[in-house]
Amino acid sequence: MEQIQPQPRRVADQVFQESLDQLEDILQENSIEEEEILQLHTSTVTEVELDQDLIDIDLAALEDAVADIEQFLEEKRKTK
């Protein structure tokens, strides 16, 4: 019986080692995916910042236009 005991332990050890290898592969895949997501997020942030700059320019022009319209309406009310 003593010879039978080491065999199941070896099998269990092999199964455990294979499980660890699979876990390591999964963790490496997740790490790669996280890096890709981080790179995508970084490029998206850059695009958002560029869009924000364009929005700021458009908002300034819009504010000027609103001020011009308000001034026009005020002058129109004065003449009536």
Side-chain angles (χ1 to χ4, degrees):
M1 281 194 156
E2 290 180 19
Q3 292 177 352
I4 296 175
Q5 278 184 336
Q7 184 68 18
R9 287 184 178 177
R10 286 187 193 134
V11 171
D13 183 48
Q14 278 184 318
V15 170
F16 183 70
Q17 288 296 328
E18 289 174 6
S19 296
L20 286 177
D21 290 341
Q22 290 175 355
L23 180 60
E24 185 178 10
D25 291 343
I26 290 170
L27 291 175
Q28 287 177 350
E29 288 175 10
N30 287 343
S31 176
I32 291 170
E33 288 176 4
E34 288 175 0
E35 287 177 16
E36 290 172 352
I37 290 171
L38 182 60
Q39 289 175 351
L40 178 63
H41 178 69
T42 302
S43 66
T44 303
V45 168
T46 304
E47 290 173 9
V48 168
E49 289 172 353
L50 290 174
D51 289 345
Q52 188 66 37
D53 290 342
L54 292 175
I55 288 171
D56 290 342
I57 293 170
D58 291 339
L59 286 177
L62 183 61
E63 288 174 352
D64 289 342
V66 169
D68 290 343
I69 292 170
E70 287 175 345
Q71 183 180 3
F72 171 78
L73 291 175
E74 196 172 312
E75 288 176 8
K76 192 172 182 179
R77 282 187 209 136
K78 287 180 182 178
T79 58
K80 284 188 175 182

Coordinates of all heavy atoms in Angstrom, one line a residue:
M1 N 0.8 -1.2 0.0 CA 0.0 0.0 0.0 C 0.8 1.3 0.0 O 0.4 2.3 -0.5 CB -0.9 0.1 1.2 CG -2.1 -0.8 1.1 SD -3.2 -0.3 2.4 CE -4.7 -0.8 1.7
E2 N 2.0 1.2 0.5 CA 2.9 2.4 0.6 C 3.3 2.8 -0.8 O 3.5 4.0 -1.1 CB 4.1 2.1 1.4 CG 3.8 2.0 2.9 CD 5.0 1.7 3.7 OE1 6.2 1.9 3.2 OE2 4.9 1.2 4.8
Q3 N 3.3 1.9 -1.8 CA 3.7 2.3 -3.1 C 2.5 3.0 -3.8 O 2.7 3.8 -4.7 CB 4.1 1.0 -3.9 CG 5.4 0.4 -3.4 CD 5.7 -0.9 -4.2 OE1 4.9 -1.3 -5.0 NE2 6.9 -1.4 -3.9
I4 N 1.3 2.7 -3.4 CA 0.1 3.3 -4.1 C 0.0 4.8 -3.7 O -0.4 5.6 -4.5 CB -1.1 2.5 -3.7 CG1 -1.0 1.1 -4.3 CG2 -2.4 3.2 -4.3 CD1 -2.1 0.2 -3.9
Q5 N 0.3 5.1 -2.4 CA 0.1 6.5 -2.0 C 0.9 7.5 -2.8 O 0.4 8.6 -3.1 CB 0.5 6.6 -0.5 CG -0.6 6.2 0.4 CD -0.2 6.4 1.9 OE1 1.0 6.4 2.2 NE2 -1.2 6.5 2.7
P6 N 2.2 7.3 -3.1 CA 2.9 8.3 -3.9 C 2.3 8.6 -5.2 O 2.4 9.7 -5.7 CB 4.3 7.8 -4.0 CG 4.5 6.8 -2.9 CD 3.1 6.3 -2.6
Q7 N 1.7 7.6 -5.9 CA 1.1 7.8 -7.2 C 0.0 8.9 -7.2 O 0.1 9.8 -8.0 CB 0.6 6.5 -7.7 CG 0.1 6.5 -9.2 CD 1.2 6.8 -10.2 OE1 2.4 6.6 -9.9 NE2 0.8 7.2 -11.3
P8 N -1.0 8.8 -6.3 CA -2.0 9.8 -6.3 C -1.5 11.2 -6.0 O -1.9 12.2 -6.5 CB -3.0 9.4 -5.2 CG -2.8 7.9 -5.1 CD -1.4 7.7 -5.4
R9 N -0.5 11.2 -5.1 CA 0.1 12.5 -4.8 C 0.8 13.1 -6.0 O 0.8 14.3 -6.3 CB 1.2 12.4 -3.7 CG 0.5 12.2 -2.3 CD 1.5 12.1 -1.2 NE 0.9 11.9 0.0 CZ 1.5 11.8 1.2 NH1 2.8 11.8 1.2 NH2 0.8 11.7 2.3
R10 N 1.5 12.3 -6.8 CA 2.1 12.8 -8.0 C 1.1 13.3 -9.0 O 1.2 14.4 -9.7 CB 3.0 11.7 -8.7 CG 4.2 11.4 -8.0 CD 5.1 10.5 -8.7 NE 6.2 10.0 -7.8 CZ 6.5 8.7 -7.7 NH1 6.0 7.8 -8.4 NH2 7.5 8.4 -6.9
V11 N 0.0 12.5 -9.1 CA -1.1 13.0 -10.0 C -1.7 14.3 -9.5 O -1.9 15.2 -10.3 CB -2.2 11.9 -10.1 CG1 -3.4 12.4 -10.9 CG2 -1.6 10.6 -10.8
A12 N -1.9 14.4 -8.3 CA -2.5 15.6 -7.7 C -1.5 16.8 -7.9 O -1.9 17.9 -8.2 CB -2.8 15.4 -6.2
D13 N -0.2 16.5 -7.7 CA 0.8 17.5 -8.0 C 0.8 18.0 -9.4 O 0.9 19.2 -9.7 CB 2.2 17.0 -7.6 CG 3.2 18.1 -7.7 OD1 3.0 19.2 -7.2 OD2 4.3 17.8 -8.3
Q14 N 0.7 17.1 -10.3 CA 0.6 17.4 -11.8 C -0.6 18.2 -12.1 O -0.5 19.3 -12.8 CB 0.6 16.2 -12.6 CG 2.0 15.6 -12.9 CD 1.9 14.4 -13.8 OE1 1.0 13.5 -13.7 NE2 2.9 14.3 -14.7
V15 N -1.7 17.8 -11.5 CA -3.0 18.6 -11.8 C -2.8 20.0 -11.2 O -3.2 21.0 -11.8 CB -4.2 17.8 -11.2 CG1 -5.4 18.7 -11.2 CG2 -4.4 16.5 -11.9
F16 N -2.3 20.1 -10.0 CA -2.1 21.4 -9.4 C -1.2 22.3 -10.2 O -1.4 23.4 -10.4 CB -1.6 21.2 -8.0 CG -1.4 22.5 -7.2 CD1 -2.5 23.2 -6.8 CD2 -0.1 22.9 -6.9 CE1 -2.3 24.4 -6.1 CE2 0.0 24.1 -6.2 CZ -1.1 24.8 -5.8
Q17 N -0.1 21.7 -10.7 CA 0.9 22.5 -11.5 C 0.2 22.9 -12.8 O 0.4 24.1 -13.2 CB 2.1 21.6 -11.8 CG 3.1 21.4 -10.6 CD 3.6 22.7 -10.1 OE1 3.9 23.6 -10.9 NE2 3.9 22.8 -8.8
E18 N -0.6 22.1 -13.4 CA -1.3 22.5 -14.6 C -2.2 23.6 -14.3 O -2.4 24.5 -15.1 CB -2.0 21.3 -15.2 CG -1.0 20.2 -15.8 CD -1.8 19.0 -16.3 OE1 -3.0 18.9 -16.3 OE2 -1.1 18.0 -16.7
S19 N -2.9 23.5 -13.2 CA -3.8 24.6 -12.8 C -3.1 25.9 -12.6 O -3.6 27.0 -13.0 CB -4.6 24.2 -11.6 OG -5.4 23.1 -11.8
L20 N -1.9 25.8 -12.0 CA -1.1 27.0 -11.8 C -0.7 27.6 -13.1 O -0.7 28.8 -13.3 CB 0.1 26.7 -10.9 CG -0.2 26.5 -9.4 CD1 1.1 26.2 -8.7 CD2 -0.8 27.8 -8.8
D21 N -0.3 26.7 -14.1 CA 0.1 27.2 -15.4 C -1.1 27.9 -16.1 O -0.9 28.9 -16.7 CB 0.6 26.0 -16.2 CG 2.0 25.5 -15.7 OD1 2.7 26.2 -15.0 OD2 2.3 24.4 -16.1
Q22 N -2.2 27.3 -16.0 CA -3.4 27.9 -16.6 C -3.7 29.3 -16.0 O -4.1 30.2 -16.7 CB -4.6 27.0 -16.5 CG -4.5 25.7 -17.3 CD -5.7 24.8 -17.1 OE1 -6.5 25.0 -16.2 NE2 -5.7 23.7 -17.9
L23 N -3.6 29.3 -14.7 CA -3.9 30.6 -14.0 C -2.9 31.6 -14.4 O -3.3 32.8 -14.7 CB -3.8 30.4 -12.5 CG -4.1 31.6 -11.6 CD1 -5.4 32.2 -11.9 CD2 -3.9 31.2 -10.1
E24 N -1.6 31.3 -14.5 CA -0.6 32.2 -15.0 C -0.9 32.7 -16.4 O -0.8 33.9 -16.7 CB 0.8 31.5 -15.0 CG 1.9 32.5 -15.3 CD 3.3 31.8 -15.2 OE1 3.3 30.5 -15.1 OE2 4.3 32.5 -15.3
D25 N -1.3 31.8 -17.3 CA -1.7 32.2 -18.7 C -2.9 33.2 -18.6 O -2.9 34.2 -19.3 CB -2.1 31.0 -19.5 CG -0.9 30.1 -19.8 OD1 0.3 30.6 -19.7 OD2 -1.1 29.0 -20.2
I26 N -3.9 32.9 -17.8 CA -5.0 33.8 -17.7 C -4.6 35.2 -17.2 O -5.0 36.2 -17.7 CB -6.1 33.2 -16.8 CG1 -6.7 32.0 -17.5 CG2 -7.2 34.2 -16.4 CD1 -7.6 31.1 -16.6
L27 N -3.8 35.2 -16.2 CA -3.3 36.5 -15.6 C -2.5 37.3 -16.6 O -2.6 38.5 -16.7 CB -2.5 36.2 -14.3 CG -3.3 35.7 -13.1 CD1 -2.4 35.4 -12.0 CD2 -4.3 36.7 -12.7
Q28 N -1.7 36.6 -17.4 CA -0.9 37.3 -18.4 C -1.8 37.9 -19.5 O -1.6 39.0 -20.0 CB 0.1 36.4 -19.1 CG 1.3 36.1 -18.2 CD 2.3 35.1 -18.8 OE1 2.0 34.4 -19.8 NE2 3.4 34.9 -18.1
E29 N -2.9 37.1 -19.9 CA -3.8 37.6 -20.9 C -4.5 38.8 -20.4 O -4.7 39.8 -21.1 CB -4.8 36.5 -21.2 CG -4.3 35.4 -22.1 CD -5.3 34.3 -22.3 OE1 -6.5 34.4 -22.0 OE2 -4.9 33.2 -22.8
N30 N -5.0 38.8 -19.1 CA -5.6 39.9 -18.5 C -4.7 41.1 -18.4 O -5.2 42.2 -18.6 CB -6.1 39.6 -17.1 CG -7.3 38.6 -17.1 OD1 -8.0 38.5 -18.1 ND2 -7.6 38.0 -16.0
S31 N -3.5 40.9 -18.1 CA -2.5 42.0 -18.1 C -2.4 42.7 -19.4 O -2.3 43.9 -19.5 CB -1.2 41.5 -17.6 OG -0.2 42.5 -17.6
I32 N -2.3 41.9 -20.5 CA -2.2 42.4 -21.8 C -3.4 43.2 -22.2 O -3.4 44.3 -22.7 CB -1.9 41.3 -22.8 CG1 -0.5 40.7 -22.6 CG2 -2.1 41.8 -24.3 CD1 -0.3 39.4 -23.4
E33 N -4.6 42.7 -21.8 CA -5.9 43.4 -22.1 C -5.9 44.7 -21.4 O -6.4 45.7 -21.9 CB -7.1 42.5 -21.8 CG -7.3 41.3 -22.7 CD -8.4 40.4 -22.3 OE1 -9.1 40.7 -21.3 OE2 -8.6 39.4 -22.9
E34 N -5.5 44.7 -20.1 CA -5.5 45.9 -19.3 C -4.6 47.0 -20.0 O -4.9 48.1 -20.0 CB -5.1 45.6 -17.9 CG -6.1 44.9 -17.1 CD -5.7 44.5 -15.7 OE1 -4.5 44.8 -15.4 OE2 -6.5 43.9 -15.0
E35 N -3.4 46.5 -20.5 CA -2.5 47.5 -21.1 C -3.2 48.1 -22.4 O -3.0 49.3 -22.6 CB -1.2 46.8 -21.5 CG -0.3 46.5 -20.3 CD 0.9 45.7 -20.7 OE1 1.3 45.7 -21.9 OE2 1.6 45.1 -19.8
E36 N -3.8 47.2 -23.1 CA -4.5 47.7 -24.3 C -5.6 48.7 -24.0 O -5.8 49.7 -24.6 CB -5.1 46.5 -25.1 CG -4.0 45.6 -25.8 CD -4.6 44.4 -26.4 OE1 -5.8 44.1 -26.2 OE2 -3.8 43.7 -27.1
I37 N -6.4 48.4 -22.9 CA -7.4 49.3 -22.5 C -6.8 50.6 -22.0 O -7.4 51.7 -22.3 CB -8.3 48.6 -21.4 CG1 -9.1 47.5 -22.0 CG2 -9.2 49.6 -20.7 CD1 -9.8 46.6 -21.0
L38 N -5.7 50.5 -21.3 CA -5.1 51.7 -20.8 C -4.6 52.6 -22.0 O -4.8 53.8 -22.0 CB -3.9 51.4 -19.9 CG -3.2 52.6 -19.2 CD1 -4.1 53.4 -18.4 CD2 -2.1 52.1 -18.4
Q39 N -4.0 52.0 -23.0 CA -3.6 52.7 -24.2 C -4.7 53.3 -24.9 O -4.7 54.5 -25.3 CB -2.8 51.8 -25.1 CG -1.4 51.4 -24.6 CD -0.7 50.4 -25.5 OE1 -1.3 49.9 -26.4 NE2 0.5 50.1 -25.2
L40 N -5.8 52.6 -25.0 CA -7.0 53.1 -25.7 C -7.6 54.3 -24.9 O -7.9 55.3 -25.4 CB -8.1 52.0 -25.8 CG -9.4 52.5 -26.4 CD1 -9.2 52.9 -27.8 CD2 -10.4 51.3 -26.4
H41 N -7.6 54.1 -23.5 CA -8.1 55.2 -22.7 C -7.3 56.5 -22.8 O -7.7 57.6 -22.9 CB -8.2 54.7 -21.2 CG -8.6 55.8 -20.3 ND1 -9.9 56.3 -20.2 CD2 -8.0 56.5 -19.3 CE1 -10.0 57.2 -19.3 NE2 -8.9 57.3 -18.7
T42 N -5.9 56.3 -22.8 CA -5.0 57.4 -22.9 C -5.2 58.1 -24.3 O -5.3 59.4 -24.3 CB -3.6 56.9 -22.9 OG1 -3.4 56.2 -21.6 CG2 -2.6 58.1 -22.9
S43 N -5.4 57.4 -25.4 CA -5.6 58.1 -26.6 C -7.0 58.7 -26.6 O -7.2 59.8 -27.2 CB -5.5 57.1 -27.8 OG -6.6 56.1 -27.8
T44 N -8.0 58.2 -26.0 CA -9.3 58.7 -25.9 C -9.3 60.0 -25.1 O -9.9 61.0 -25.5 CB -10.3 57.8 -25.3 OG1 -10.3 56.6 -26.0 CG2 -11.7 58.3 -25.2
V45 N -8.5 60.0 -24.0 CA -8.4 61.2 -23.2 C -7.8 62.4 -24.0 O -8.2 63.5 -24.0 CB -7.5 61.0 -21.9 CG1 -7.1 62.3 -21.2 CG2 -8.3 60.1 -21.0
T46 N -6.8 62.0 -24.8 CA -6.2 63.0 -25.7 C -7.2 63.6 -26.7 O -7.2 64.8 -26.9 CB -5.0 62.4 -26.4 OG1 -4.1 61.9 -25.5 CG2 -4.2 63.5 -27.2
E47 N -8.0 62.7 -27.3 CA -9.0 63.2 -28.2 C -10.0 64.1 -27.5 O -10.5 65.1 -28.0 CB -9.7 62.0 -28.9 CG -8.8 61.2 -29.8 CD -9.4 60.0 -30.3 OE1 -10.6 59.7 -30.1 OE2 -8.7 59.2 -31.0
V48 N -10.4 63.7 -26.3 CA -11.4 64.5 -25.5 C -10.8 65.8 -25.2 O -11.5 66.8 -25.3 CB -11.8 63.7 -24.2 CG1 -12.5 64.6 -23.3 CG2 -12.6 62.5 -24.5
E49 N -9.5 65.9 -24.8 CA -8.9 67.2 -24.6 C -8.9 68.0 -25.8 O -9.1 69.2 -25.7 CB -7.5 66.9 -24.0 CG -7.4 66.4 -22.6 CD -6.0 66.0 -22.2 OE1 -5.1 66.0 -23.1 OE2 -5.8 65.6 -21.0
L50 N -8.6 67.4 -27.0 CA -8.6 68.2 -28.2 C -10.0 68.7 -28.5 O -10.2 69.9 -28.9 CB -8.1 67.4 -29.4 CG -6.6 67.0 -29.4 CD1 -6.3 66.1 -30.5 CD2 -5.8 68.3 -29.5
D51 N -11.0 67.8 -28.3 CA -12.4 68.2 -28.5 C -12.8 69.4 -27.5 O -13.5 70.3 -27.8 CB -13.4 67.0 -28.3 CG -13.3 66.0 -29.4 OD1 -12.7 66.4 -30.5 OD2 -13.8 64.9 -29.3
Q52 N -12.3 69.3 -26.3 CA -12.6 70.3 -25.3 C -12.0 71.6 -25.7 O -12.7 72.7 -25.6 CB -12.0 69.9 -23.9 CG -12.4 70.8 -22.8 CD -13.9 70.8 -22.5 OE1 -14.5 69.7 -22.6 NE2 -14.5 71.9 -22.2
D53 N -10.8 71.6 -26.3 CA -10.3 72.9 -26.8 C -11.1 73.5 -27.9 O -11.4 74.7 -27.9 CB -8.8 72.6 -27.4 CG -7.8 72.3 -26.2 OD1 -8.1 72.7 -25.1 OD2 -6.8 71.8 -26.6
L54 N -11.7 72.6 -28.8 CA -12.5 73.1 -29.8 C -13.8 73.6 -29.3 O -14.4 74.6 -29.7 CB -12.8 72.0 -30.8 CG -11.6 71.5 -31.7 CD1 -12.0 70.3 -32.5 CD2 -11.1 72.6 -32.5
I55 N -14.3 73.0 -28.2 CA -15.6 73.4 -27.6 C -15.3 74.8 -27.0 O -16.2 75.7 -27.0 CB -16.1 72.4 -26.5 CG1 -16.6 71.2 -27.2 CG2 -17.1 73.0 -25.6 CD1 -16.9 70.0 -26.3
D56 N -14.2 75.0 -26.3 CA -13.9 76.3 -25.7 C -13.9 77.4 -26.7 O -14.4 78.5 -26.5 CB -12.5 76.2 -25.0 CG -12.6 75.4 -23.7 OD1 -13.7 75.1 -23.2 OD2 -11.5 75.0 -23.3
I57 N -13.3 77.1 -27.9 CA -13.3 78.1 -29.0 C -14.7 78.4 -29.5 O -15.1 79.6 -29.6 CB -12.4 77.6 -30.1 CG1 -10.9 77.5 -29.7 CG2 -12.6 78.5 -31.4 CD1 -10.0 76.8 -30.7
D58 N -15.5 77.4 -29.6 CA -16.8 77.6 -30.1 C -17.7 78.3 -29.0 O -18.5 79.1 -29.4 CB -17.5 76.2 -30.4 CG -16.9 75.6 -31.7 OD1 -16.3 76.3 -32.5 OD2 -17.0 74.4 -31.8
L59 N -17.5 78.0 -27.8 CA -18.2 78.7 -26.7 C -17.9 80.2 -26.7 O -18.7 81.0 -26.5 CB -17.9 78.0 -25.3 CG -18.5 76.7 -25.1 CD1 -18.1 76.1 -23.7 CD2 -20.1 76.8 -25.1
A60 N -16.6 80.5 -26.9 CA -16.2 81.9 -26.9 C -17.0 82.6 -28.1 O -17.5 83.7 -27.9 CB -14.7 82.0 -27.0
A61 N -17.0 82.0 -29.2 CA -17.7 82.6 -30.4 C -19.2 82.7 -30.1 O -19.8 83.7 -30.5 CB -17.4 81.8 -31.6
L62 N -19.7 81.7 -29.4 CA -21.1 81.7 -29.1 C -21.4 82.8 -28.1 O -22.5 83.5 -28.3 CB -21.5 80.3 -28.6 CG -23.0 80.1 -28.2 CD1 -23.9 80.3 -29.5 CD2 -23.2 78.7 -27.6
E63 N -20.6 83.0 -27.1 CA -20.8 84.0 -26.2 C -20.8 85.4 -26.9 O -21.6 86.3 -26.6 CB -19.8 84.0 -25.1 CG -20.0 82.8 -24.1 CD -18.8 82.7 -23.1 OE1 -17.8 83.4 -23.3 OE2 -18.9 81.8 -22.2
D64 N -19.9 85.6 -27.8 CA -19.8 86.8 -28.5 C -21.1 87.0 -29.3 O -21.7 88.1 -29.4 CB -18.6 86.9 -29.5 CG -17.3 87.0 -28.7 OD1 -17.3 87.4 -27.5 OD2 -16.3 86.7 -29.3
A65 N -21.6 86.0 -30.0 CA -22.8 86.1 -30.8 C -24.0 86.4 -29.9 O -24.8 87.2 -30.3 CB -23.0 84.7 -31.5
V66 N -24.1 85.8 -28.7 CA -25.2 86.1 -27.8 C -25.1 87.5 -27.4 O -26.2 88.2 -27.3 CB -25.1 85.1 -26.6 CG1 -26.1 85.6 -25.5 CG2 -25.5 83.7 -27.0
A67 N -23.9 88.0 -27.0 CA -23.8 89.4 -26.6 C -24.2 90.3 -27.8 O -24.9 91.3 -27.5 CB -22.3 89.7 -26.2
D68 N -23.9 90.0 -29.0 CA -24.3 90.8 -30.1 C -25.8 90.8 -30.3 O -26.4 91.9 -30.6 CB -23.6 90.3 -31.4 CG -22.1 90.6 -31.5 OD1 -21.7 91.4 -30.7 OD2 -21.5 90.0 -32.3
I69 N -26.4 89.7 -30.1 CA -27.9 89.6 -30.3 C -28.6 90.3 -29.2 O -29.5 91.1 -29.4 CB -28.3 88.1 -30.2 CG1 -27.8 87.4 -31.5 CG2 -29.8 87.9 -30.1 CD1 -28.0 85.9 -31.5
E70 N -28.1 90.2 -27.9 CA -28.6 91.0 -26.8 C -28.5 92.5 -27.1 O -29.5 93.2 -26.8 CB -28.0 90.6 -25.5 CG -28.3 89.2 -25.0 CD -27.6 88.8 -23.8 OE1 -26.5 89.5 -23.4 OE2 -28.0 87.8 -23.1
Q71 N -27.4 92.9 -27.6 CA -27.2 94.3 -27.9 C -28.2 94.8 -28.9 O -28.8 95.8 -28.8 CB -25.8 94.6 -28.3 CG -25.5 96.1 -28.5 CD -24.1 96.3 -28.9 OE1 -23.3 95.3 -29.1 NE2 -23.7 97.6 -29.1
F72 N -28.4 94.0 -30.0 CA -29.3 94.3 -31.1 C -30.7 94.4 -30.6 O -31.4 95.3 -30.9 CB -29.2 93.2 -32.2 CG -30.2 93.3 -33.2 CD1 -30.1 94.3 -34.2 CD2 -31.3 92.5 -33.2 CE1 -31.1 94.4 -35.2 CE2 -32.3 92.6 -34.2 CZ -32.2 93.6 -35.2
L73 N -31.1 93.4 -29.7 CA -32.5 93.4 -29.2 C -32.7 94.6 -28.3 O -33.8 95.2 -28.3 CB -32.8 92.1 -28.5 CG -32.9 90.9 -29.4 CD1 -33.1 89.6 -28.5 CD2 -34.1 91.0 -30.3
E74 N -31.7 95.0 -27.5 CA -31.8 96.1 -26.6 C -32.0 97.4 -27.4 O -32.8 98.3 -27.1 CB -30.6 96.2 -25.7 CG -30.7 97.1 -24.5 CD -29.6 96.9 -23.6 OE1 -29.2 95.8 -23.3 OE2 -29.0 98.0 -23.2
E75 N -31.2 97.6 -28.5 CA -31.3 98.8 -29.3 C -32.7 98.8 -30.0 O -33.2 99.9 -30.2 CB -30.2 98.8 -30.4 CG -28.8 99.1 -29.8 CD -27.7 99.0 -30.8 OE1 -28.0 98.8 -32.0 OE2 -26.5 99.1 -30.4
K76 N -33.1 97.6 -30.4 CA -34.4 97.6 -31.1 C -35.5 98.0 -30.1 O -36.5 98.7 -30.5 CB -34.7 96.2 -31.6 CG -35.8 96.1 -32.5 CD -35.9 94.7 -33.2 CE -37.1 94.6 -34.1 NZ -37.2 93.3 -34.8
R77 N -35.5 97.6 -28.9 CA -36.5 98.0 -27.9 C -36.4 99.5 -27.6 O -37.5 100.1 -27.4 CB -36.2 97.2 -26.5 CG -36.7 95.8 -26.5 CD -36.5 95.2 -25.2 NE -36.3 93.8 -25.4 CZ -35.4 93.0 -24.7 NH1 -34.7 93.6 -23.8 NH2 -35.3 91.8 -24.9
K78 N -35.3 100.1 -27.6 CA -35.1 101.5 -27.4 C -35.8 102.3 -28.5 O -36.3 103.4 -28.2 CB -33.6 101.9 -27.2 CG -33.0 101.4 -25.9 CD -31.5 101.8 -25.9 CE -30.8 101.3 -24.7 NZ -29.4 101.7 -24.6
T79 N -35.7 101.8 -29.7 CA -36.2 102.6 -30.8 C -37.7 102.5 -30.9 O -38.4 103.4 -31.5 CB -35.6 102.1 -32.2 OG1 -35.9 100.7 -32.3 CG2 -34.2 102.4 -32.2
K80 N -38.3 101.6 -30.2 CA -39.8 101.4 -30.3 C -40.5 102.3 -29.3 O -40.6 103.0 -28.6 CB -40.2 100.0 -30.0 CG -40.0 99.1 -31.2 CD -40.6 97.7 -30.9 CE -40.5 96.9 -32.2 NZ -41.1 95.6 -32.0

